Every structure is written in structure tokens, then in C-alpha cells.
Amino acid sequence: MKTRLFVIASSLIASLLAMPAMAQSTPAPAAAENSISAAPAGPGMMGQGARQNRARPPRDCQQSPNPAACNAQREARSKAMEACKDSAGPQRRACMREQRANFDCSKSANPQQCEAHKAAAKACQGQSGPAARRCMQEKMPPVDCSKSPNPQRCEQHQKAREVCKDKLGPDHKSCLREQFKTK
């Protein structure tokens, strides 16, 4: 009786331990051959190949409201990517940040806002994360809502930003949602 119980318990435990391994099935070799791009999986859950396949196509600057600004932005981004192509990780982020600081604001859609953003970024240069976001919010001048397509909505955004400026993360998001609820 004890032997039979021991065998049943052992087989039950073995099957429960093997279930996670069975659940992690791999695709059949024929499916990998028929796929459009069988990129090798890199670090992370999706791998580098899947991430590259999901990239958006380039934006058509002719259909943008300001084609000259769109082309200037595209050109600046391609120059920055070319300049930073040999670096990775934090060094690449720092390189891209430096390259963005060299952007010519005269070609921007809103040159005054671009210059203000560059000045704020320079003032907040050594900070990162929530401290950098808070610093940028403090250094940036308020938006001129008279030039906005929807001044009432712009003013509502400004008030919400002011009320929620001391909160971070999920608390900040929930505060903004509360501000935008219809009254």
C-alpha cells in the first residue's frame, strides 16, 4: 500500500515539475523556414530582430504641416545616428543627447520653443530620471495658449500641469486624469 502511494505521489510531483518545461514549446523548424524574417532572438523578450521588424516606416514630410521642419528634423536625426553609431547603452544616449543639443532651431516649427528647450536641457544637463523631468518643467517657460489651435484646451493642460507638478509616475498620471474629467 505504501509503495503504491509512493509511486503515485512521485509520478504526480514529476509531472507537475515537468509542466513548465512542456509549456515552453519552440516553433517547428518548418515554420521558421517559411517565416518572412527569421531573425535570431537577442537579449530581452522580443529580441533585436523582432524589434527591428516593428519599426515604423519613415514619415512622409510632404504630408506634414511644415515640410521644411520635418526634413530638418529627419536630417538632424540621421546625422546624430551616424555620429553615434559606434557607441551603445549609456554612451549612446549621452552622444545622442549632445547631438540633439546642436540642432539648428531656425529650421524648427517653433523656433522660440526650440531655443527654450535647448536652454532648459543645458541647465538640467547633469540630472536624469524624475529629477531631470522636474528640472525641465521648471526651466521651460509656459506655453503661449493664444497661438494654440484650441486655446481653451491648452489652458486646461497648463492648469493640470501646474496642479500635478509635484507628483511622479502613476500618481502623476492619475492626477492628470482627475484634472481632465468632464465637470
Side-chain angles (χ1 to χ4, degrees):
M1 182 73 181
K2 286 185 181 182
T3 308
R4 186 183 299 168
L5 185 60
F6 181 73
V7 170
I8 292 172
S10 297
S11 56
L12 180 62
I13 289 172
S15 65
L16 288 176
L17 291 175
M19 274 188 170
M22 291 187 302
Q24 296 176 355
S25 63
T26 59
E33 292 172 6
N34 294 335
S35 67
I36 295 173
S37 64
M45 289 180 65
M46 292 177 50
Q48 291 292 344
R51 200 164 135 207
Q52 289 171 352
N53 292 341
R54 290 184 46 196
R56 288 185 281 184
R59 182 175 167 184
D60 184 14
C61 287
Q62 298 304 321
Q63 294 180 355
S64 91
N66 190 344
C70 177
N71 285 326
Q73 179 95 22
R74 179 178 285 165
E75 183 179 319
R77 179 171 169 77
S78 65
K79 284 181 183 177
M81 290 181 74
E82 181 65 29
C84 301
K85 70 180 178 183
D86 296 332
S87 57
Q91 292 85 16
R92 180 176 172 84
R93 281 192 294 275
C95 177
M96 291 293 283
R97 193 176 308 121
E98 289 172 16
Q99 294 296 321
R100 280 194 303 263
N102 298 332
F103 182 71
D104 182 16
C105 286
S106 64
K107 297 177 182 178
S108 173
N110 189 343
Q112 293 84 12
Q113 185 179 7
C114 177
E115 288 295 339
H117 189 272
K118 281 175 72 171
K122 187 171 182 126
C124 302
Q125 191 171 9
Q127 301 176 11
S128 64
R133 278 192 289 282
R134 184 170 285 142
C135 178
M136 287 293 288
Q137 287 175 352
E138 291 170 359
K139 302 289 183 191
M140 286 290 291
V143 177
D144 183 14
C145 290
S146 64
K147 296 179 182 177
S148 173
N150 188 345
Q152 184 180 14
R153 182 76 171 168
C154 177
E155 288 176 13
Q156 187 180 13
H157 274 270
Q158 289 297 97
K159 288 177 187 173
R161 283 189 197 105
E162 186 63 31
V163 169
C164 302
K165 70 180 179 182
D166 296 331
K167 295 178 173 49
L168 293 173
D171 294 335
H172 181 77
K173 285 184 179 182
S174 64
C175 177
L176 289 175
R177 283 189 200 107
E178 287 294 319
Q179 296 300 314
F180 289 112
K181 282 187 177 175
T182 55
K183 297 173 184 171

